[in-house]
Amino acid sequence: MVAATPHTLQAAGEDDSGKRRQILAGASRVFMDLGFDGASMGEIARAAGVSKGTLYVYFADKNRLFEAIVEREVFEQRKLAFTFDPERDAASTLREFGQAYIELLCRPGGGSAIRTVMAIAERMPDVGRRFYEDVLEKTIGRLAAYLEARVTAQDLAIDDCQLAASQFMMMCQASLFLPFVFQAAPPPSAERMAQVVESASRMFLAAYQTKPA
């Protein structure tokens, strides 16, 4: 069961020493290889190249260690500080946001944390829910707010901007994210990501952009 004291967790980026990063990297590998139940603190210590004593200095138990992995991914995802200027045209904004979004999602090493969260979300729903709310839901909301501004400006005709925002983000993932996250393909090239985002932008605008008078 997830500990009900999130304030005890160190936020990723705060006191993020080399040793702590080393432990999190080792723990991520063990969780992915053995699953949450199969992972032991001893196995994690060996994978991280530290003693169990050192491991317990940083993390009181396996739950807190797993939550720290999730917090680190939340921190990385929040680096997508894309500025949605409500006055800027939709075509340029969608292409630039889509490129930044898929580059972050498919960055080398980024899939491990996402796979780990997906694998454990049913057992630890609070962790999965917090990851969704702190990362995906907020990003969808920010894009939806931008789309609403362009609807008001009569550049777009959208009834449900939350749905449209989700649609665009999913289109940017098409053929890229699932092969990457399931390790069926290496991280996509910059050229391939640009192609997919360009296609997603054209499809989105074809569906929602108002026609010139």
Side-chain angles (χ1 to χ4, degrees):
M1 187 172 179
V2 181
T5 54
H7 63 278
T8 62
L9 293 175
Q10 286 181 298
E14 296 176 7
D15 190 30
D16 196 9
S17 67
K19 186 66 71 176
R20 189 171 189 273
R21 291 194 298 272
Q22 179 181 336
I23 291 171
L24 291 176
S28 295
R29 292 193 298 271
V30 174
F31 282 132
M32 285 305 304
D33 291 343
L34 303 179
F36 185 82
D37 290 334
S40 68
M41 292 295 269
E43 188 66 35
I44 291 169
R46 283 190 292 274
V50 300
S51 68
K52 285 184 69 174
T54 298
L55 183 58
Y56 281 111
V57 166
Y58 287 85
F59 301 100
D61 55 38
K62 189 166 63 173
N63 278 356
R64 286 177 170 80
L65 179 51
F66 183 80
E67 286 197 329
I69 293 173
V70 176
E71 292 294 330
R72 182 182 62 176
E73 181 61 19
V74 169
F75 178 77
E76 289 296 324
Q77 295 272 351
R78 283 176 179 166
K79 288 180 180 179
L80 181 58
F82 189 87
T83 301
F84 289 100
D85 181 352
E87 301 298 323
R88 194 158 182 249
D89 70 284
S92 299
T93 298
L94 289 170
R95 289 185 179 95
E96 292 183 15
F97 166 73
Q99 188 72 27
Y101 172 67
I102 199 62
E103 285 177 359
L104 176 65
L105 205 61
C106 293
R107 71 191 186 279
S112 296
I114 296 174
R115 286 192 296 270
T116 305
V117 175
M118 291 170 64
I120 205 64
E122 184 174 354
R123 179 184 177 88
M124 300 171 70
D126 287 347
V127 172
R129 182 165 51 249
R130 188 163 67 248
F131 179 81
Y132 179 82
E133 291 173 351
D134 288 350
V135 176
L136 301 175
E137 193 171 56
K138 287 185 177 179
T139 303
I140 292 169
R142 291 171 59 230
L143 177 55
Y146 168 79
L147 296 177
E148 287 170 2
R150 300 323 299 161
V151 169
T152 300
Q154 299 185 339
D155 293 335
L156 301 175
I158 303 174
D159 294 328
D160 187 338
C161 288
Q162 288 281 336
L163 172 60
S166 297
Q167 288 171 332
F168 179 71
M169 291 167 63
M170 291 302 293
M171 285 193 294
C172 289
Q173 296 180 30
S175 79
L176 301 176
F177 178 66
L178 289 180
F180 167 71
V181 80
F182 287 111
Q183 301 187 78
S189 67
E191 292 77 14
R192 180 57 182 163
M193 287 189 285
Q195 289 173 355
V196 171
V197 170
E198 177 64 25
S199 176
S201 300
R202 288 199 309 268
M203 292 175 66
F204 186 90
L205 293 173
Y208 292 122
Q209 191 170 38
T210 56
K211 300 295 188 292

